[in-house]
Amino acid sequence: MDTCYCGNPKLYADCCAKIHQDINKATTAEELMRSRYTAYVLAKGDYLMKSHHTTTRPTQDKKNIVRWTKSVQWIKLEVITTQKGAAKDTEGTVAFKAFYYDKQGLQMIHETSKFVKQYGHWVYLGEA
Ligand SMILES: [Zn+2]
């Protein structure tokens, strides 16, 4: 299947994997957001921390986040809208829905996320 976990119509190796290897490869806020979704799917705790702004980074919760994401079954990501967040911008927002199954059944996260640049690359700041 030539679809990345994030939903882009290309292989993971040609999509989020490149960003997981080098966070500077995320040229837009949406790409960074998609790479974070894929990092949840693959339980990449280190990348979830690295792609989080240092002032809001939940370092203490890293183990719990990894444990939780391994306990659910991710289904898909839907990006709804983006505002700014282009390569030339320094901030942007991405509204999305992420679907997964847990023991209770189908769950959905609906969030508008704020992204900014820190150390020259995009990071997740928090809910907008
Ligand atoms: Zn991807």
Side-chain angles (χ1 to χ4, degrees), residues 19-40:
I19 299 171
H20 292 165
Q21 284 156 18
D22 178 2
I23 198 165
N24 296 295
K25 294 262 163 56
T27 55
T28 66
E30 181 177 336
E31 285 178 8
L32 194 278
M33 189 271 142
R34 286 181 178 276
S35 76
R36 281 180 51 81
Y37 172 84
T38 296
Y40 273 103

Side-chain angles (χ1 to χ4, degrees), residues 85-103:
K88 62 175 170 40
D89 295 323
T90 54
E91 58 172 56
T93 58
V94 181
F96 68 90
K97 290 180 180 176
F99 297 85
Y100 63 92
Y101 284 112
D102 66 9
K103 290 193 186 93

Side-chain angles (χ1 to χ4, degrees), residues 1-110:
M1 194 170 77
D2 293 347
T3 305
C4 183
Y5 300 99
C6 75
N8 275 337
K10 49 187 176 180
L11 292 170
Y12 166 64
D14 297 324
C15 187
C16 292
K18 290 185 170 176
I19 299 171
H20 292 165
Q21 284 156 18
D22 178 2
I23 198 165
N24 296 295
K25 294 262 163 56
T27 55
T28 66
E30 181 177 336
E31 285 178 8
L32 194 278
M33 189 271 142
R34 286 181 178 276
S35 76
R36 281 180 51 81
Y37 172 84
T38 296
Y40 273 103
V41 175
L42 300 176
K44 288 183 173 286
D46 289 341
Y47 182 79
L48 288 172
M49 295 300 117
K50 186 177 187 177
S51 60
H52 213 295
H53 196 278
T54 54
T55 60
T56 51
R57 185 178 289 169
T59 310
Q60 304 295 324
D61 294 329
K62 180 180 155 187
K63 277 185 183 169
N64 287 333
I65 290 167
V66 169
R67 192 179 305 130
W68 171 77
T69 198
K70 284 180 174 173
S71 77
V72 305
Q73 188 184 357
W74 290 95
I75 303 165
K76 66 172 177 174
L77 170 69
E78 286 181 8
V79 173
I80 301 164
T81 56
T82 63
Q83 285 190 316
K84 296 188 181 175
K88 62 175 170 40
D89 295 323
T90 54
E91 58 172 56
T93 58
V94 181
F96 68 90
K97 290 180 180 176
F99 297 85
Y100 63 92
Y101 284 112
D102 66 9
K103 290 193 186 93
Q104 277 72 48
L106 180 63
Q107 308 292 336
M108 190 209 16
I109 297 167
H110 186 182

